[in-house]
Amino acid sequence: MEVVIVADEAAAGALVADVMAHHVRPGAVLGLATGSSPLPVYRELIARHAAGDLSFAGARAFLLDEYVGLPQGHPESYHSVIRREFIDHVDLDRVDGPDGEAADIPAEAARYEVAIRDAGGIDVQLLGIGTDGHVGFNEPGSSLASRTRVKTLTQQTRDDNARFFDSVDDVPHHVLTQGLGTILDAGHLVLIATGPTKAEAVAAAVEGPVSAFCPASVLQLHPYVTLVVDEPAATGLRLADYYRFAAANKPGWQAY
Ligand code: GLP
């Protein structure tokens, strides 16, 4: 796992955009995330596209997760959010996500797994992290081998996400999410974490034991992970100085 500590959210967004752009080519399969953390990444990618420096033509994308029961047209469905924050501003027109309105949720989960597999798998998966250590919507206790399925949100996650809704009571209890096993199948995992509220989860994910109690710790089992954190999110890392030294002295030939 490569841990890169940068000054602030803007620097984190720029660096993660570099990593994502490194994988963008016709035929690329991108894994996209929602929530606040990836927004600086999307702003940066949109700016590069607007400047004529980056095209997503011929690439396609898959989302990590979706609320169950929230109409696709709801402004906070991840179907809507990813279009508003990213897709509508670039030339990426093939985007799939779990359908949280499906009549048969287990069948939809199975369909999604097959769709990712039939696309040849995800080349690069963008991730955020929840304050309870979740990735996608894999809450504590998620099997480290899990596949796309329904999950029940913790109260902590519903409270965290209440800011997107009129009230916490409007935050759905159930979600469809790629499993931790699904996420581990991606070629390159890129996690962005910013702000002091993420410090505890980042430390547990990077330096704690691999445990279903901190689902993001499963990243320790993946051979190709880039984890970009800003200073406030890095305060719990015991080996912060080592990560800084490694990043500052990275051999020029070493890729992202
Ligand atoms: C959300 C999403 C995750 C996200 C996490 C953190 O609810 N399902 O993909 O990484 O929780 O969200 P944020 O980036 O808004 O802090």
Side-chain angles (χ1 to χ4, degrees):
M1 183 183 303
E2 181 179 20
V3 179
V4 187
I5 302 171
V6 296
D8 53 26
E9 186 187 79
L15 178 54
V16 174
D18 283 346
V19 177
M20 296 296 288
H22 176 74
H23 291 279
V24 173
R25 63 179 65 84
V29 182
L30 311 177
L32 303 179
T34 42
S36 304
S37 306
L39 295 180
V41 182
Y42 295 141
R43 281 196 290 273
E44 186 72 29
L45 292 172
I46 291 166
R48 293 179 193 192
H49 174 71
D53 297 332
L54 183 63
S55 171
F56 295 86
R60 59 180 301 186
F62 287 91
L63 301 187
L64 270 177
D65 47 14
E66 181 59 276
Y67 292 109
V68 167
L70 205 61
Q72 274 198 349
H74 188 287
E76 295 308 326
S77 76
Y78 286 167
H79 175 93
S80 297
V81 169
I82 200 65
R83 281 164 179 76
R84 184 170 68 239
E85 302 292 356
F86 183 48
I87 304 296
D88 287 350
H89 311 282
V90 296
D91 56 344
L92 175 61
D93 44 29
R94 285 189 78 186
V95 185
D96 197 353
D99 178 3
E101 288 187 287
D104 185 338
I105 290 292
E108 171 58 12
R111 177 203 71 80
Y112 201 57
E113 285 283 323
V114 171
I116 293 172
R117 196 182 64 214
D118 286 353
I122 291 170
D123 296 314
V124 58
Q125 176 66 59
L126 180 57
L127 298 166
I129 185 170
T131 58
D132 63 2
H134 72 246
V135 287
F137 266 137
N138 292 279
E139 294 284 32
S142 290
S143 159
L144 303 181
S146 50
R147 311 303 304 187
T148 302
R149 70 218 183 286
V150 72
K151 283 297 289 182
T152 305
L153 295 183
T154 62
Q155 190 57 40
Q156 185 171 330
T157 296
R158 293 183 68 242
D159 288 343
D160 285 348
N161 286 5
R163 68 190 190 279
F164 298 115
F165 294 83
D166 289 339
S167 112
V168 68
D169 298 332
D170 295 337
V171 182
H173 282 277
H174 293 107
V175 293
L176 264 170
T177 181
Q178 285 188 35
L180 296 173
T182 317
I183 291 168
L184 285 180
D185 284 347
H188 185 181
L189 303 180
V190 187
L191 189 148
I192 178 169
T194 53
T197 61
K198 299 297 173 68
E200 190 180 332
V202 165
V206 176
E207 297 177 342
V210 175
S211 160
F213 192 70
C214 178
S217 66
V218 79
L219 269 58
Q220 296 176 34
L221 299 177
H222 194 284
Y224 191 10
V225 176
T226 306
L227 193 137
V228 179
V229 287
D230 68 358
E231 290 286 355
T235 52
L237 291 172
R238 288 187 292 171
L239 290 184
D241 288 344
Y242 168 67
Y243 307 136
R244 287 193 180 91
F245 180 88
N249 294 280
K250 188 170 169 172
W253 48 263
Q254 201 176 358
Y256 290 109

